[in-house]
Amino acid sequence: MELTADYHTHTPYSHGKNTVLENATAAKKLGLKEIGITDHGFNHLLFGLKRKNIADLRKEIEEAKKLTGVNVLMGMESNLISVDGDTDTRQSDLQYFDLYLCGIHEVLKYKTFSDMRNIMFKNYTAYKFGKKPSQKTIENTTRAYINAIKNNPIDIITHINYKCYCNLKEVAQCCADYGTYIEINTKKRHVSAEELNLMAQTGVRFVIDSDAHSQDRVGDTKIADELLSNGCVPLSQIDNIEGRLPNFRFKEFKAKNL
């Protein structure tokens, strides 16, 4: 299996170790056609991208494109911050980005205290004690994902079910309906082969991403290789391998609306 693009990498603009150019250079050495620079969203309390740095990040991205010949996309791993599906990417932010990822993280400024309690606290408390959260918590997390996918032009859901549990089949079906990809993350073991099979049955499309926080992990596929060898997901359902590139909904959204 040959990776064509890696759409989830971090730089010092959040808490990655290497620069945009270093990540892009690593991608070039691997023969990748595209790479996403997707630092953490604005509401991440420890490592969020600052709006004041957007222009500097864009400048580095354009320079990396010229120097490497790799198509470097300016993205963000936005944060899901409410059960209603709000993210920390505002409408006014969209004009600056090429790629829209979204995930759930621990140390966030949520929209309300209730959202923090229902999404983060109940999920992470259960995870800490080695338990699955209550069915109600799973339903709330599922609703948050589905509302986010319906209400925002999200390209990729990152590391789904990592410490925050949802109904995978329901979320995957929503992704399939709205043209959002589900990421097979190779930094975190967030789903099993059986769970991947379950999501694939909905017809959802996948991408394999490294979630690299250093240049040496750009393009890594090890965990994905293991999952796919133990499952039955057709490789034709993964759109950033074997020379293929995904059709991202955010690009279409921008062409029509921005």
Side-chain angles (χ1 to χ4, degrees), residues 181 196-197 199-207 232-241 244:
Y181 286 84
L196 201 60
N197 294 342
M199 291 189 289
Q201 291 170 12
T202 68
V204 71
R205 312 295 298 180
F206 297 97
V207 291
C232 57
V233 177
L235 295 186
S236 59
Q237 214 162 324
I238 303 170
D239 282 355
N240 64 330
I241 62 172
R244 297 192 296 275

Side-chain angles (χ1 to χ4, degrees), residues 43-251:
N43 281 32
H44 198 297
L45 296 176
L46 298 179
F47 305 117
L49 175 68
K50 303 294 188 293
R51 287 183 172 87
K52 66 181 181 180
N53 292 331
I54 287 176
D56 290 338
L57 177 55
R58 173 57 75 181
K59 183 177 179 181
E60 288 192 35
I61 282 173
E62 295 305 321
E63 185 70 11
K65 283 183 186 179
K66 293 177 184 176
L67 292 174
T68 64
V70 175
N71 187 27
V72 184
L73 300 175
M74 179 165 161
M76 177 184 292
E77 188 185 11
S78 63
N79 298 295
L80 206 169
I81 59 170
S82 82
V83 175
D84 290 335
D86 296 286
T87 79
D88 56 359
T89 301
R90 301 172 185 162
Q91 186 73 21
S92 58
D93 296 324
L94 297 179
Q95 61 184 310
Y96 302 112
F97 294 92
D98 310 312
L99 188 61
Y100 194 155
L101 278 59
C102 184
I104 297 177
H105 297 88
E106 294 176 62
V107 190
L108 300 179
K109 179 182 177 181
Y110 282 86
K111 188 175 182 180
T112 68
F113 178 80
S114 177
D115 290 313
M116 179 183 73
R117 181 172 176 270
N118 286 323
I119 298 175
M120 187 275 287
F121 182 76
K122 291 184 177 181
N123 272 296
Y124 283 93
T125 299
Y127 175 83
K128 184 176 177 66
F129 289 99
K131 300 178 179 179
K132 277 289 185 82
S134 69
Q135 185 59 36
K136 181 63 175 177
T137 298
I138 292 172
E139 289 172 2
N140 282 330
T141 308
T142 301
R143 184 152 56 95
Y145 273 124
I146 287 175
N147 285 336
I149 294 159
K150 288 182 176 180
N151 297 330
N152 302 279
I154 295 168
D155 290 320
I156 303 169
I157 295 294
T158 62
H159 47 71
I160 193 169
N161 247 34
Y162 181 67
K163 298 184 180 180
C164 283
Y165 301 96
C166 65
N167 184 312
L168 288 169
K169 192 166 186 178
E170 286 187 19
V171 176
Q173 186 62 65
C174 185
C175 285
D177 292 343
Y178 282 81
T180 293
Y181 286 84
I182 287 181
E183 173 186 84
I184 303 172
N185 186 294
T186 66
K187 182 174 185 285
K188 301 173 173 70
R189 293 184 181 274
H190 58 109
V191 292
S192 66
E194 292 75 17
E195 289 170 330
L196 201 60
N197 294 342
L198 178 70
M199 291 189 289
Q201 291 170 12
T202 68
V204 71
R205 312 295 298 180
F206 297 97
V207 291
I208 296 170
D209 285 332
S210 68
D211 194 358
H213 286 60
S214 58
Q215 62 181 347
D216 60 294
R217 284 209 60 259
V218 170
D220 175 52
T221 63
K222 184 178 179 180
I223 289 177
D225 292 337
E226 293 175 8
L227 284 170
L228 293 166
S229 67
N230 291 321
C232 57
V233 177
L235 295 186
S236 59
Q237 214 162 324
I238 303 170
D239 282 355
N240 64 330
I241 62 172
E242 312 302 343
R244 297 192 296 275
L245 294 173
N247 292 314
F248 284 133
R249 64 184 288 205
F250 183 51
K251 182 179 180 179

